[in-house]
Amino acid sequence: MSKVISAELTSQIGAQPRGKMIAYWTVTSLLAASVMLSGIGQLMQFGGNLELVAKLGYPSYVLTILGIWKVLGAIALVVPGFPRLKEWVHAGIFFLMTGAAISHMFASDYGDYGFAIILPLFYSALNIVSWTLRPASCKL
């Protein structure tokens, strides 16, 4: 009898509600896609990235460095396993996006309707939501 109860409790503890899992993968996929697309855009220097980096006062090779790390981070977010790597990716995205917002503020470059600051902060919030919704198998 006790084996049945302990197995039942173990399965209840290990199971994650389906809605939470769907929310996690939706948010994580959206985050990974946005980070991947911005990384590819930076690597290929699309969409005025070169002018933007120059306006902020950074050298142009920063685009290559950020682009490579963004693409690798987006891949790491969707690959199963590697919980410590995912922790580092979430931390990196948070610091990257808050740093972008601060860089735009210091350069007085707010963009149209403040999107140069709002968008990176939105990605930071999306990152935090993805991190908090992660399944038990991705926690350290």
Side-chain angles (χ1 to χ4, degrees):
M1 180 83 172
S2 65
K3 286 185 179 183
V4 172
I5 293 173
S6 77
E8 203 173 293
L9 287 175
T10 304
S11 68
Q12 287 176 358
I13 292 170
Q16 186 171 10
R18 184 178 171 104
K20 186 176 179 183
M21 186 62 83
I22 291 171
Y24 166 75
W25 280 110
T26 302
V27 170
T28 302
S29 298
L30 183 61
L31 177 66
S34 62
V35 169
M36 176 70 82
L37 290 174
S38 69
I40 291 170
Q42 287 174 335
L43 285 173
M44 300 182 84
Q45 298 180 353
F46 283 157
N49 277 309
L50 203 55
E51 295 82 14
L52 178 68
V53 167
K55 187 190 300 185
L56 294 176
Y58 293 115
S60 61
Y61 64 82
V62 166
L63 287 174
T64 304
I65 295 168
L66 290 177
I68 290 170
W69 283 115
K70 282 182 175 183
V71 169
L72 291 175
I75 292 169
L77 279 179
V78 296
V79 171
F82 307 104
R84 187 166 314 273
L85 179 62
K86 290 179 191 282
E87 292 277 336
W88 280 86
V89 170
H90 282 295
I93 291 172
F94 179 79
F95 292 128
L96 176 72
M97 294 303 164
T98 55
I102 292 169
S103 292
H104 284 284
M105 284 192 323
F106 284 153
S108 297
D109 176 36
Y110 300 104
D112 296 333
Y113 307 107
F115 280 125
I117 295 170
I118 293 171
L119 194 60
L121 293 178
F122 172 73
Y123 288 148
S124 295
L126 199 63
N127 182 46
I128 291 169
V129 170
S130 172
W131 182 79
T132 56
L133 289 173
R134 71 194 189 282
S137 62
C138 293
K139 295 180 183 176
L140 295 176

